[in-house]
Amino acid sequence: MSIGPAQDEAEALAVTTRSGWLIIAAFFALLAAWTAPAQAIEPIKISREDIALNLSGAVEIYRNQGQNFQVSTAPGIDGIVRRIEVEAKDERSTGDWAVFALANSTDQQIDRLIVAPHFRLVGSGMIWPDLGSSRIAAITPSEGFALDRLASNEADVFLVTLNPGSVVTFVAELSAQKLPQVYLWEPEAYKDTINSYTLFRGIVIGIAGLLALFLTILFVVKGTSMFPATAALAWAILAYISIDFGFLNKILEITPGNEQIWRAGTEVALAATFVVFLFTYLNLNRWHWHFSYGVLAWVFTLFMIAGVAVFDPAIASGIARISFAMTAVVGIGLIAYMAFKGYDRAIMLVPSWMMILLWLVGAWMAVTGLLDNDIVQPALGGGLILIILLIGFTVMQHAFAGGALHQGLFSDMERQALAVTGAGDIVWDWDVLRDRVITKPDISRQLGLPLNSLHGPARNWLPALHAEDRDSFRTTLDVILEHRRGRVGQMFRLRGADGHYHWFALRARPVIGSDGEVIRCVGTLVDVTEHKKAEERLLHDAVHDNLTGLPNRELFLNGLEAVISIARTEESIRPTVFVIDIDRFKQVNDGLGISAGDTILLTIARRLHRLLKPRDSLSRFAGDQFAMMLLSEQDPVRIAAVADAIKQAISAPITFAKREIVLTASVGLVSWTSSQTSADDMVKDAELAMHQAKRFGGDRIEPFRPAFRSVGTDRLQLESDLRRAIERSEFTLAYQPIVRLEDRSIAGFEALLRWEHPRRGTIPPTDFIPVAESCGVIVQLGLFAMQRAADDLHEWQKQIGNVPLSVSVNLSSRQLIRRDLVSDVRSVIARANLKPRCFRLELTESLVMDNPEQSAHVLAKLKQLGIGLSLDDFGTGYSSLSYLTRFPFDTIKIDKSFVDDQSPKRTVLLRSMVNMAHELGLSVVAEGVADENDALQLRQMGCEYVQSFMFGQPMNAEAAARLLKEQYPLAQA
């Protein structure tokens, strides 16, 4: 150090006269001395009454001045400003210097302490905070010796003695870039203040340590995840306070410069444990692993930041502070949402979180400098202790609640007792407090999964559940927990190891602890897969075609009705309906057989299905009639292209038994307009267009036109006439004899319905029977035919005596599905006073197979009455022969197409049919026998009866009576 008055320099230079340039230099030096006081700093006057002064505002900082620094002093008592030069003596010197001046205005010597705190939370910053360090390396006064440093781990403390009336300028070598605070303390007062803070800090650290230890012990005893998370948060707060209060320095030897790393590390730990506590306490991972992944990534990132703290503590601390604030903000949103839903844990955490938010506001005001005093930092540390105390009390309410005392009290025997109460197969036990589900026996084995794979948290069931059942399963359990009462009754699907789903029915009830909380949910799990499959099978068969599996007419109309309701409000939905009928398919079916017909229909169905787009649908209306609903196309040109594709798909050759079969189709189509009020009207219009295509020769596409409705007026008129015909008794019965081949005697008659229209004359059954079935009149006609035939047979028997004679009446589909059919037949027999064996009903094979289950049930009840049952047109339907044994028929009638067949295989086929019937205990009636050779051949095969024009034309009741009298003259006598 070199200190010399300016006057001495001037005198020395004036004496030296050997060089003229020295005189000039002296002049400028003298000029500098006179101008220096204008740039000198102002000294701070102190007195003995000044206990503590904040010198921060009076300190001037000089940046990047190097190792040697010159500065002007404050004016002395004599008013002279001097220049001093200071050389850095400490290797920690940054090249930055701080200058301030003190003046002792008293007549006594004053001792003071210059104190520069290492860390100060106030004003430390949010993003790249100042984490503290040694601030001053050394202080040099303008007079006297360098100041002595006093030992302190929390601040740079220097003892200074000011003589009476002295003015001293102090130059401080800075060891850090920032000097946030410089205080001037009276030594005893500073000592008392430190001691008072030491007592406060000791109390706070003691409470924090005891609480952390207690929560750790609670975790060991209790074992649930909520308690280690709370204990970890308590330990993190203890570590943070120990660093902040300087307590850790007394336990561990922290080298100078490492305080920032330790401080940043504790702040990162505090932020990480804060996230884990919120996640664990609110049990956010109960149903979604997504929360677990998010929290795991969050905590992992914070631990990575902890590693960054070794290299850049400031940035690690800034990220930790931001994370803590984000956790508090996100937490209040989650707590508010769950509290609104009635989740008790969230409600209990509200007071603690309010205190956290208040603490967060105070901390933000401190680090940004809005709140600036010496009490803020220890007050915030004490606030953390209050927060963890309140959280600890909240957590302990769960630890010592009555529900915890009941944990694990259920033994296997008691579980079995509860299973008996639930009357199930598998015991399902959910320990709510531990969030652990157990099944006895292990359901994983039944599903083919690894053992105990479904044992554990309830969320483990979600991946195994069907996607449609997950929300209802989760909601059901949540409702039980929130309402603390009720029963679980739910059916859901669990996926097995092979990818197939199994249906289970869960029946369980909650077990309530003494605190009113649900501590367990116990019940039974029953495998109902076969039951559900049976239900689905019945439901599917009720609305789908048995052969192709396509939707039937009712399901098609239901779907079309739903689309039309949408089309009324959305212009983008404009359905088009196609009705497709295969031309002359009956000829193909008769020529190739039933199996070939079924194969061809399946082929056509597959071809049409390939034309569908996602929103389109296909249905089978009748034997060779299909319907298609087109939603994917709106443009008329594209719709016409689809219609042409339908026509081409059907006309493509089909190979069967080394033969190529070429079919054609009549297609009617109609697009929806607002004038069409219902799906049924739309389908009827499409059917009118299809029938028009049939009238034009088939193999064509016909769009619907309103003029087609006038074509259908004949049908409407026929329907109207049909209803009046019943009232006017325009219907009669014609009887065709059924003859025994053995002796050519009459065994019975088939009653045939005839309609004599007053204007049109005789209308064949092929014209009016379909109309009667569609309008519902067929039931009345059927009752009329049964009653008239029974009455006529009774009259014949009175005339010819008790001879073996029967009468057969055809049954329609509408009559077969009626619940009153059995009672109607019983009533008809009773009124006519007939023996049941004399009355027969004839049903076609196709009619029976429309609904085989219902048919079998009805026919069994009819057979119990004692009447006869004949299967008409045998071999022409779409059924399988295996169904023949399921129905109680006693007679089959071979269709005339088999008798008229002139192929070499006819004999083999007829003999096989007769032999099969006899093996099944059935008698045989052959229809359409045209000559004696056929009759003789059938007799030789064992056929018992024939019915054809050769053996008797249909006749009225009087003619039949005369024929019987001729046949049985002896019986009359």
Side-chain angles (χ1 to χ4, degrees):
M1 180 180 67
S2 175
I3 302 177
Q7 292 87 343
D8 293 343
E9 277 188 15
E11 292 174 2
L13 292 174
V15 174
T16 308
T17 57
R18 289 177 297 178
S19 301
W21 62 273
L22 294 175
I23 298 173
I24 299 173
F27 172 77
F28 283 106
L30 182 62
L31 181 62
W34 281 102
T35 57
Q39 299 175 355
I41 63 174
E42 290 293 331
I44 298 176
K45 296 179 180 181
I46 61 175
S47 64
R48 296 187 64 86
E49 289 75 19
D50 295 327
I51 303 301
L53 293 177
N54 188 348
L55 305 180
S56 303
V59 176
E60 294 184 4
I61 305 297
Y62 295 86
R63 301 289 183 187
N64 302 319
Q65 298 299 314
Q67 296 298 311
N68 295 301
F69 175 58
Q70 292 184 1
V71 68
S72 299
T73 66
I77 298 175
D78 54 4
I80 298 174
V81 175
R82 296 171 175 81
R83 294 282 294 179
I84 62 174
E85 182 177 351
V86 180
E87 182 180 355
K89 296 181 179 180
D90 197 305
E91 62 181 5
R92 293 177 296 170
S93 179
T94 61
D96 297 337
W97 301 81
V99 180
F100 59 92
L102 301 176
N104 183 1
S105 60
T106 67
D107 56 359
Q108 296 178 1
Q109 181 176 292
I110 298 178
D111 293 331
R112 290 292 184 267
L113 296 177
I114 299 175
V115 180
H118 289 174
F119 173 73
R120 195 167 185 267
L121 183 65
V122 174
S124 61
M126 185 72 179
I127 305 301
W128 281 275
D130 181 5
L131 298 180
S133 63
S134 178
R135 305 293 182 178
I136 300 175
I139 298 178
T140 303
S142 60
E143 58 183 43
F145 299 98
L147 302 185
D148 295 331
R149 179 190 290 270
L150 301 182
S152 176
N153 293 327
E154 300 178 7
D156 296 322
V157 182
F158 298 88
L159 177 62
V160 59
T161 301
L162 299 175
N163 294 323
S166 63
V167 178
V168 182
T169 301
F170 297 91
V171 180
E173 302 174 32
L174 299 184
S175 57
Q177 293 184 350
K178 295 182 179 180
L179 185 63
Q181 291 290 330
V182 179
Y183 296 92
L184 189 67
W185 279 92
E186 195 277 324
E188 293 299 326
Y190 179 69
K191 181 180 179 180
D192 294 340
T193 302
I194 292 299
N195 291 336
S196 63
Y197 276 121
T198 301
L199 179 61
F200 169 76
R201 293 171 178 174
I203 294 173
V204 170
I205 291 174
I207 295 174
L210 288 174
L211 184 59
L213 183 62
F214 177 77
L215 290 173
T216 303
I217 295 173
L218 191 61
F219 155 58
V220 174
V221 175
K222 184 66 173 151
T224 56
S225 59
M226 175 173 55
F227 301 102
T230 310
L233 178 61
W235 283 112
I237 291 176
L238 176 62
Y240 175 80
I241 293 175
S242 297
I243 288 290
D244 195 45
F245 289 176
F247 178 72
L248 196 62
N249 294 334
K250 297 178 174 58
I251 301 175
L252 302 175
E253 185 177 352
I254 300 177
T255 58
N258 288 341
E259 297 93 343
Q260 297 181 357
I261 298 176
W262 283 89
R263 190 177 301 277
T266 55
E267 291 190 6
V268 171
L270 182 60
T273 54
F274 192 43
V275 174
V276 173
F277 166 75
L278 177 66
F279 171 78
T280 307
Y281 181 84
L282 294 180
N283 203 10
L284 297 179
N285 65 329
R286 172 179 293 168
W287 302 120
H288 290 293
W289 278 109
H290 304 82
F291 292 112
S292 301
Y293 297 146
V295 171
L296 183 62
W298 194 337
V299 174
F300 179 76
T301 302
L302 288 175
F303 278 112
M304 293 292 292
I305 296 301
V308 175
V310 178
F311 307 99
D312 192 343
I315 191 171
S317 176
I319 294 175
R321 293 181 179 185
I322 293 174
S323 172
F324 192 93
M326 288 177 59
T327 306
V329 173
V330 172
I332 192 62
L334 288 173
I335 291 170
Y337 172 77
M338 293 185 174
F340 180 76
K341 293 292 185 179
Y343 190 37
D344 286 344
R345 287 193 181 184
I347 297 173
M348 295 173 65
L349 196 60
V350 170
S352 301
W353 217 260
M354 291 296 102
M355 184 174 288
I356 289 173
L357 293 178
L358 291 175
W359 184 90
L360 193 65
V361 172
W364 174 77
M365 295 177 67
V367 298
T368 56
L370 297 177
L371 193 62
D372 185 4
N373 57 64
D374 296 333
I375 304 177
V376 172
Q377 186 168 335
L380 290 175
L384 279 178
I385 299 304
L386 291 178
I387 289 172
I388 195 61
L389 272 174
L390 188 54
I391 289 176
F393 289 145
T394 303
V395 170
M396 282 186 287
Q397 286 185 353
H398 294 278
F400 296 109
L405 299 177
H406 294 274
Q407 173 184 320
L409 292 182
F410 292 95
S411 64
D412 288 342
M413 292 298 295
E414 289 168 332
R415 288 194 183 98
Q416 296 301 325
L418 289 173
V420 171
T421 303
D425 295 335
I426 301 173
V427 179
W428 187 85
D429 179 13
W430 180 28
D431 186 342
V432 177
L433 297 178
R434 294 178 181 270
D435 191 16
R436 180 173 176 80
V437 176
I438 296 175
T439 55
K440 295 283 185 176
D442 186 7
I443 195 176
S444 305
R445 186 188 300 274
Q446 183 174 342
L447 296 174
L449 300 174
L451 293 179
N452 301 324
S453 59
L454 292 179
H455 286 181
R459 65 171 177 272
N460 288 358
W461 286 60
L462 295 183
L465 283 167
H466 194 280
E468 297 176 358
D469 300 331
R470 291 172 188 166
D471 286 341
S472 59
F473 177 79
R474 180 171 46 212
T475 303
T476 300
L477 297 188
D478 283 341
V479 168
I480 289 293
L481 295 183
E482 291 175 7
H483 293 273
R484 308 177 190 89
R485 63 178 182 273
R487 290 181 179 269
V488 178
Q490 188 181 15
M491 298 182 71
F492 50 76
R493 287 157 286 183
L494 289 173
R495 186 177 63 246
D498 57 357
H500 292 87
Y501 283 93
H502 299 254
W503 278 95
F504 288 90
L506 175 62
R507 299 289 184 269
R509 64 182 181 87
V511 179
I512 310 299
S514 59
D515 62 340
E517 294 291 334
V518 177
I519 62 172
R520 229 178 185 91
C521 195
V522 184
T524 59
L525 206 61
V526 181
D527 190 338
V528 292
T529 304
E530 293 303 321
H531 178 70
K532 291 296 292 185
K533 285 183 178 179
E535 286 184 358
E536 292 172 358
R537 223 170 16 246
L538 290 174
L539 180 61
H540 181 275
D541 292 345
V543 293
H544 288 80
D545 176 56
N546 291 330
L547 176 65
T548 62
L550 294 174
N552 60 15
R553 185 185 187 98
E554 288 72 19
L555 188 58
F556 182 85
L557 289 173
N558 187 52
L560 180 59
E561 193 66 48
V563 171
I564 290 176
S565 65
I566 299 175
R568 292 191 179 100
T569 57
E570 295 188 17
E571 295 183 358
S572 60
I573 303 297
R574 289 294 180 269
T576 299
V577 172
F578 296 86
V579 174
I580 307 153
D581 189 88
I582 311 302
D583 298 329
R584 295 175 296 280
F585 183 74
K586 189 177 187 302
Q587 297 178 8
V588 176
N589 208 22
D590 293 342
L592 298 178
I594 306 304
S595 60
D598 290 350
T599 302
I600 292 171
L601 287 175
L602 285 171
T603 302
I604 292 174
R606 283 194 292 267
R607 289 181 178 180
L608 293 177
H609 197 273
R610 293 192 196 103
L611 302 177
L612 300 180
K613 292 184 179 179
R615 295 191 299 169
D616 304 334
S617 62
L618 180 67
S619 173
R620 184 187 179 196
F621 273 11
D624 59 348
Q625 191 174 103
F626 297 87
M628 181 185 293
M629 178 169 58
L630 187 69
L631 291 175
S632 58
E633 302 293 348
Q634 309 292 331
D635 183 24
V637 176
R638 295 295 303 161
I639 294 174
V642 173
D644 188 62
I646 292 172
K647 184 171 176 291
Q648 292 179 8
I650 295 174
S651 61
I654 300 173
T655 303
F656 182 81
K658 298 182 180 180
R659 297 176 58 183
E660 280 195 351
I661 302 168
V662 179
L663 300 174
T664 60
S666 299
V667 182
L669 66 93
V670 60
S671 295
W672 183 82
T673 60
S674 57
S675 61
Q676 290 158 334
T677 58
S678 67
D680 193 55
D681 292 340
M682 194 171 179
V683 170
K684 285 181 180 178
D685 289 345
E687 287 177 330
L688 286 175
M690 181 270 293
H691 288 302
Q692 191 67 21
K694 286 277 189 187
R695 294 188 186 96
F696 291 154
D699 191 20
R700 63 184 291 131
I701 302 166
E702 198 68 41
F704 171 76
R705 293 187 291 273
F708 291 167
R709 292 196 180 105
S710 62
V711 177
T713 54
D714 291 341
R715 180 185 177 92
L716 296 177
Q717 183 63 46
L718 187 63
E719 180 179 331
S720 177
D721 293 345
L722 188 61
R723 295 181 185 277
R724 287 195 294 267
I726 297 176
E727 301 171 359
R728 297 173 181 174
S729 301
E730 295 176 2
F731 287 99
T732 59
L733 289 182
Y735 298 95
Q736 187 173 21
I738 299 175
V739 178
R740 296 184 183 89
L741 278 176
E742 182 180 5
D743 56 4
R744 304 298 175 95
S745 63
I746 298 176
F749 293 91
E750 179 182 358
L752 304 173
L753 196 62
R754 294 290 185 264
W755 182 14
E756 292 295 330
H757 196 278
R759 296 191 308 275
R760 300 183 183 184
T762 302
I763 299 178
T766 55
D767 288 346
F768 71 81
I769 291 297
V771 178
E773 288 183 342
S774 64
C775 67
V777 180
I778 192 65
V779 175
Q780 294 175 313
L781 288 179
L783 285 174
F784 164 78
M786 288 191 295
Q787 192 65 58
R788 177 61 61 85
D791 292 340
D792 288 343
L793 177 60
H794 177 68
E795 290 296 325
W796 299 336
Q797 288 178 339
K798 287 184 357 181
Q799 297 177 21
I800 64 175
N802 188 17
V803 297
L805 189 66
S806 65
V807 64
S808 300
V809 180
N810 289 286
L811 201 64
S812 69
S813 59
R814 286 294 183 93
Q815 288 176 286
L816 183 61
I817 64 175
R818 287 184 73 244
R819 297 181 179 179
D820 298 334
L821 175 62
V822 178
S823 60
D824 288 344
V825 173
R826 184 186 294 110
S827 176
V828 165
I829 296 174
R831 288 194 188 112
N833 195 21
L834 285 180
K835 295 179 180 179
R837 68 172 182 272
C838 299
F839 189 79
R840 309 185 64 85
L841 291 177
E842 292 190 6
L843 302 88
T844 62
E845 195 173 6
S846 300
L847 172 62
V848 172
M849 294 311 300
D850 280 344
N851 194 334
E853 301 295 336
Q854 176 71 11
S855 299
H857 178 72
V858 174
L859 293 179
K861 289 190 173 183
L862 289 173
K863 192 64 177 177
Q864 291 175 1
L865 296 179
I867 69 171
L869 295 175
S870 299
L871 181 60
D872 198 8
D873 298 338
F874 178 74
T876 62
Y878 303 115
S879 69
S880 169
L881 292 176
S882 62
Y883 279 96
L884 194 59
T885 59
R886 296 183 54 186
F887 304 112
F889 292 108
D890 50 42
T891 304
I892 62 171
K893 301 183 73 173
I894 299 177
D895 189 73
K896 66 178 182 179
S897 61
F898 295 100
V899 179
D900 293 340
D901 188 5
Q902 300 302 318
S903 65
K905 298 180 180 180
R906 183 193 76 156
T907 303
V908 176
L909 184 60
L910 288 175
R911 182 178 289 108
S912 299
M913 296 172 71
V914 172
N915 290 337
M916 179 192 68
H918 290 165
E919 289 292 332
L920 295 175
L922 308 177
S923 58
V924 181
V925 178
E927 295 183 308
V929 178
D931 53 46
E932 287 293 337
N933 290 332
D934 291 341
L936 179 61
Q937 190 175 21
L938 287 169
R939 175 75 184 88
Q940 293 172 349
M941 293 178 186
C943 179
E944 296 94 334
Y945 306 100
V946 293
Q947 178 183 344
S948 66
F949 290 152
M950 188 185 81
F951 288 91
Q953 297 282 342
M955 59 192 74
N956 57 28
E958 291 76 13
R962 289 193 298 270
L963 182 62
L964 288 172
K965 290 178 181 178
E966 295 174 1
Q967 181 79 46
Y968 300 102
L970 298 177
Q972 300 175 56

mmCIF file of all heavy atoms in Angstrom, residues 608-618 628-633 638 642:
data_model
loop_
_atom_site.group_PDB
_atom_site.id
_atom_site.type_symbol
_atom_site.label_atom_id
_atom_site.label_comp_id
_atom_site.label_asym_id
_atom_site.label_seq_id
_atom_site.Cartn_x
_atom_site.Cartn_y
_atom_site.Cartn_z
ATOM 1 N N LEU A 608 -72.766 -59.401 -52.943
ATOM 2 C CA LEU A 608 -73.416 -58.122 -52.637
ATOM 3 C C LEU A 608 -72.744 -57.447 -51.445
ATOM 4 O O LEU A 608 -72.629 -56.217 -51.404
ATOM 5 C CB LEU A 608 -74.900 -58.346 -52.349
ATOM 6 C CG LEU A 608 -75.750 -58.824 -53.533
ATOM 7 C CD1 LEU A 608 -77.177 -59.081 -53.073
ATOM 8 C CD2 LEU A 608 -75.729 -57.802 -54.669
ATOM 9 N N HIS A 609 -72.307 -58.250 -50.479
ATOM 10 C CA HIS A 609 -71.669 -57.665 -49.290
ATOM 11 C C HIS A 609 -70.356 -56.970 -49.646
ATOM 12 O O HIS A 609 -69.960 -55.999 -48.991
ATOM 13 C CB HIS A 609 -71.434 -58.760 -48.251
ATOM 14 C CG HIS A 609 -71.171 -58.231 -46.882
ATOM 15 N ND1 HIS A 609 -69.896 -57.888 -46.454
ATOM 16 C CD2 HIS A 609 -72.006 -57.945 -45.845
ATOM 17 C CE1 HIS A 609 -69.966 -57.435 -45.224
ATOM 18 N NE2 HIS A 609 -71.226 -57.453 -44.832
ATOM 19 N N ARG A 610 -69.670 -57.471 -50.682
ATOM 20 C CA ARG A 610 -68.415 -56.824 -51.088
ATOM 21 C C ARG A 610 -68.646 -55.425 -51.656
ATOM 22 O O ARG A 610 -67.709 -54.622 -51.705
ATOM 23 C CB ARG A 610 -67.711 -57.682 -52.139
ATOM 24 C CG ARG A 610 -67.202 -59.008 -51.605
ATOM 25 C CD ARG A 610 -66.272 -59.658 -52.603
ATOM 26 N NE ARG A 610 -66.058 -61.056 -52.310
ATOM 27 C CZ ARG A 610 -66.625 -62.070 -52.958
ATOM 28 N NH1 ARG A 610 -67.447 -61.809 -53.970
ATOM 29 N NH2 ARG A 610 -66.371 -63.315 -52.618
ATOM 30 N N LEU A 611 -69.834 -55.142 -52.091
ATOM 31 C CA LEU A 611 -70.141 -53.819 -52.659
ATOM 32 C C LEU A 611 -70.398 -52.772 -51.578
ATOM 33 O O LEU A 611 -70.450 -51.588 -51.881
ATOM 34 C CB LEU A 611 -71.366 -53.910 -53.571
ATOM 35 C CG LEU A 611 -71.263 -54.889 -54.743
ATOM 36 C CD1 LEU A 611 -72.572 -54.916 -55.506
ATOM 37 C CD2 LEU A 611 -70.107 -54.511 -55.661
ATOM 38 N N LEU A 612 -70.572 -53.214 -50.337
ATOM 39 C CA LEU A 612 -70.928 -52.284 -49.269
ATOM 40 C C LEU A 612 -69.733 -51.457 -48.847
ATOM 41 O O LEU A 612 -68.597 -51.932 -48.821
ATOM 42 C CB LEU A 612 -71.469 -53.048 -48.050
ATOM 43 C CG LEU A 612 -72.722 -53.900 -48.256
ATOM 44 C CD1 LEU A 612 -73.098 -54.567 -46.957
ATOM 45 C CD2 LEU A 612 -73.864 -53.051 -48.780
ATOM 46 N N LYS A 613 -70.011 -50.221 -48.474
ATOM 47 C CA LYS A 613 -69.036 -49.346 -47.836
ATOM 48 C C LYS A 613 -69.429 -49.222 -46.358
ATOM 49 O O LYS A 613 -70.500 -49.694 -45.955
ATOM 50 C CB LYS A 613 -69.003 -47.989 -48.529
ATOM 51 C CG LYS A 613 -68.432 -48.088 -49.936
ATOM 52 C CD LYS A 613 -68.301 -46.720 -50.598
ATOM 53 C CE LYS A 613 -67.697 -46.871 -51.992
ATOM 54 N NZ LYS A 613 -67.579 -45.567 -52.691
ATOM 55 N N PRO A 614 -68.570 -48.594 -45.536
ATOM 56 C CA PRO A 614 -68.795 -48.652 -44.076
ATOM 57 C C PRO A 614 -70.200 -48.313 -43.606
ATOM 58 O O PRO A 614 -70.701 -48.929 -42.688
ATOM 59 C CB PRO A 614 -67.758 -47.658 -43.535
ATOM 60 C CG PRO A 614 -66.645 -47.726 -44.525
ATOM 61 C CD PRO A 614 -67.293 -47.941 -45.860
ATOM 62 N N ARG A 615 -70.880 -47.343 -44.236
ATOM 63 C CA ARG A 615 -72.189 -46.936 -43.721
ATOM 64 C C ARG A 615 -73.364 -47.665 -44.365
ATOM 65 O O ARG A 615 -74.511 -47.463 -43.984
ATOM 66 C CB ARG A 615 -72.360 -45.421 -43.898
ATOM 67 C CG ARG A 615 -71.391 -44.585 -43.085
ATOM 68 C CD ARG A 615 -71.792 -43.124 -43.090
ATOM 69 N NE ARG A 615 -71.789 -42.555 -44.428
ATOM 70 C CZ ARG A 615 -72.298 -41.374 -44.760
ATOM 71 N NH1 ARG A 615 -72.883 -40.647 -43.835
ATOM 72 N NH2 ARG A 615 -72.235 -40.923 -45.991
ATOM 73 N N ASP A 616 -73.098 -48.506 -45.374
ATOM 74 C CA ASP A 616 -74.158 -49.205 -46.081
ATOM 75 C C ASP A 616 -74.536 -50.482 -45.330
ATOM 76 O O ASP A 616 -73.808 -50.933 -44.442
ATOM 77 C CB ASP A 616 -73.704 -49.541 -47.503
ATOM 78 C CG ASP A 616 -73.252 -48.294 -48.265
ATOM 79 O OD1 ASP A 616 -73.731 -47.196 -47.911
ATOM 80 O OD2 ASP A 616 -72.427 -48.418 -49.181
ATOM 81 N N SER A 617 -75.678 -51.069 -45.694
ATOM 82 C CA SER A 617 -76.111 -52.312 -45.047
ATOM 83 C C SER A 617 -76.863 -53.164 -46.057
ATOM 84 O O SER A 617 -77.436 -52.670 -47.030
ATOM 85 C CB SER A 617 -77.001 -52.019 -43.832
ATOM 86 O OG SER A 617 -78.178 -51.336 -44.228
ATOM 87 N N LEU A 618 -76.865 -54.482 -45.786
ATOM 88 C CA LEU A 618 -77.498 -55.460 -46.669
ATOM 89 C C LEU A 618 -78.412 -56.350 -45.825
ATOM 90 O O LEU A 618 -78.095 -56.670 -44.684
ATOM 91 C CB LEU A 618 -76.423 -56.308 -47.368
ATOM 92 C CG LEU A 618 -76.912 -57.389 -48.337
ATOM 93 C CD1 LEU A 618 -77.572 -56.751 -49.553
ATOM 94 C CD2 LEU A 618 -75.736 -58.269 -48.773
ATOM 95 N N MET A 628 -80.839 -53.557 -49.960
ATOM 96 C CA MET A 628 -79.612 -52.846 -49.619
ATOM 97 C C MET A 628 -79.954 -51.389 -49.319
ATOM 98 O O MET A 628 -80.751 -50.766 -50.045
ATOM 99 C CB MET A 628 -78.597 -52.917 -50.771
ATOM 100 C CG MET A 628 -77.273 -52.202 -50.471
ATOM 101 S SD MET A 628 -76.143 -52.172 -51.892
ATOM 102 C CE MET A 628 -75.767 -53.904 -52.042
ATOM 103 N N MET A 629 -79.359 -50.870 -48.218
ATOM 104 C CA MET A 629 -79.497 -49.451 -47.882
ATOM 105 C C MET A 629 -78.161 -48.771 -48.174
ATOM 106 O O MET A 629 -77.127 -49.129 -47.603
ATOM 107 C CB MET A 629 -79.873 -49.262 -46.414
ATOM 108 C CG MET A 629 -79.991 -47.801 -45.999
ATOM 109 S SD MET A 629 -80.734 -47.600 -44.353
ATOM 110 C CE MET A 629 -79.599 -48.566 -43.333
ATOM 111 N N LEU A 630 -78.184 -47.797 -49.083
ATOM 112 C CA LEU A 630 -76.966 -47.111 -49.519
ATOM 113 C C LEU A 630 -76.916 -45.721 -48.902
ATOM 114 O O LEU A 630 -77.802 -44.886 -49.144
ATOM 115 C CB LEU A 630 -76.956 -47.016 -51.053
ATOM 116 C CG LEU A 630 -75.688 -46.471 -51.697
ATOM 117 C CD1 LEU A 630 -74.543 -47.456 -51.522
ATOM 118 C CD2 LEU A 630 -75.914 -46.188 -53.177
ATOM 119 N N LEU A 631 -75.884 -45.474 -48.096
ATOM 120 C CA LEU A 631 -75.670 -44.158 -47.493
ATOM 121 C C LEU A 631 -74.385 -43.493 -47.978
ATOM 122 O O LEU A 631 -74.204 -42.297 -47.799
ATOM 123 C CB LEU A 631 -75.607 -44.269 -45.965
ATOM 124 C CG LEU A 631 -76.897 -44.626 -45.245
ATOM 125 C CD1 LEU A 631 -76.636 -44.811 -43.766
ATOM 126 C CD2 LEU A 631 -77.939 -43.538 -45.452
ATOM 127 N N SER A 632 -73.495 -44.283 -48.553
ATOM 128 C CA SER A 632 -72.177 -43.765 -48.914
ATOM 129 C C SER A 632 -72.191 -42.923 -50.178
ATOM 130 O O SER A 632 -71.226 -42.213 -50.455
ATOM 131 C CB SER A 632 -71.196 -44.929 -49.088
ATOM 132 O OG SER A 632 -71.678 -45.833 -50.080
ATOM 133 N N GLU A 633 -73.260 -43.003 -50.968
ATOM 134 C CA GLU A 633 -73.327 -42.239 -52.223
ATOM 135 C C GLU A 633 -74.586 -41.374 -52.229
ATOM 136 O O GLU A 633 -75.652 -41.827 -51.808
ATOM 137 C CB GLU A 633 -73.341 -43.182 -53.434
ATOM 138 C CG GLU A 633 -72.143 -44.117 -53.523
ATOM 139 C CD GLU A 633 -70.844 -43.378 -53.787
ATOM 140 O OE1 GLU A 633 -70.906 -42.179 -54.121
ATOM 141 O OE2 GLU A 633 -69.757 -43.985 -53.663
ATOM 142 N N ARG A 638 -73.521 -41.810 -59.252
ATOM 143 C CA ARG A 638 -72.855 -42.831 -58.453
ATOM 144 C C ARG A 638 -73.851 -43.896 -57.969
ATOM 145 O O ARG A 638 -73.513 -45.073 -57.889
ATOM 146 C CB ARG A 638 -72.184 -42.181 -57.246
ATOM 147 C CG ARG A 638 -71.054 -41.223 -57.581
ATOM 148 C CD ARG A 638 -69.905 -41.944 -58.233
ATOM 149 N NE ARG A 638 -69.413 -43.020 -57.375
ATOM 150 C CZ ARG A 638 -68.675 -44.019 -57.816
ATOM 151 N NH1 ARG A 638 -68.368 -44.115 -59.104
ATOM 152 N NH2 ARG A 638 -68.250 -44.938 -56.976
ATOM 153 N N VAL A 642 -73.738 -47.949 -58.634
ATOM 154 C CA VAL A 642 -73.888 -49.008 -57.636
ATOM 155 C C VAL A 642 -74.950 -50.008 -58.081
ATOM 156 O O VAL A 642 -74.771 -51.231 -57.937
ATOM 157 C CB VAL A 642 -74.240 -48.401 -56.263
ATOM 158 C CG1 VAL A 642 -74.577 -49.496 -55.254
ATOM 159 C CG2 VAL A 642 -73.084 -47.556 -55.735
#
